[in-house]
Amino acid sequence: MSEGRDLLRVLLAVTETSPVERLWQSLVDQVADARAEVVTIIVSDDSWRRAASLPFTREFSRISGMPAAFNHHRAEQVRADAAGRARQRLEHLAEDSQVEIRFEILSEEEDARVGTVVKVERDILIAPSALEGKPLFARLARRHRKVVLVEVDND
């Protein structure tokens, strides 16, 4: 019975450009020796989709230098690739620990979907400071007892 109370519920929010190692270290510091259930939300950048909606947006090949239209399909590929790299880095960091992590992907504009992704209130939210002013962050923060912002460069 006491085992359930010792379980910390943690939500780790990362962006495609977050310093994943720094966020993971913050998670490790917060969890310490407790058992933890970690849900990771990868917040994807909507600028790819917005760029694809503009008729003059082109992508240039690094090899040939030839331009190609940047469409919605390509924008989704770029988003998925960036989210996949963040996920791989986190899985690698979690490999040696006893922490199991689950992943969800949300875009910055999907703040209304937070309730379907985060179904139970969490004990701790760990997020990069770059998300602080976003509506998505406000919705996430309401569902947590403790919020830990990790300072990141806004470059």
Side-chain angles (χ1 to χ4, degrees), residues 135-148:
L136 176 69
F137 176 79
R139 292 199 65 147
L140 289 173
R142 277 184 257 164
R143 302 182 72 98
H144 296 81
R145 291 187 205 136
K146 180 178 181 180
V147 176
V148 176

Side-chain angles (χ1 to χ4, degrees), residues 60-129:
F60 291 88
S61 168
R62 287 184 178 172
I63 297 170
S64 70
M66 298 299 297
F70 189 78
N71 57 28
H72 290 285
H73 176 72
R74 180 66 179 130
E76 191 53 41
Q77 279 181 321
V78 171
R79 272 179 37 159
D81 289 348
R85 284 190 301 275
R87 181 180 181 151
Q88 283 179 331
R89 290 193 337 249
L90 283 165
E91 286 174 337
H92 179 73
L93 291 167
E95 223 170 62
D96 297 330
S97 71
Q98 300 280 325
V99 178
E100 283 189 40
I101 55 179
R102 186 170 56 97
F103 292 92
E104 297 287 342
I105 298 175
L106 285 176
S107 74
E108 292 175 355
E109 303 299 319
E110 292 181 304
D111 61 304
R113 235 185 92 212
V114 167
T116 61
V117 173
V118 185
K119 294 183 169 102
V120 285
E121 289 194 4
R122 300 278 160 174
D123 297 316
I124 304 170
L125 165 64
I126 300 171
S129 59

Side-chain angles (χ1 to χ4, degrees), residues 21-32:
E21 292 77 9
R22 196 177 326 165
L23 288 161
W24 185 259
Q25 186 57 52
S26 182
L27 180 139
V28 169
D29 293 345
Q30 293 296 318
V31 171

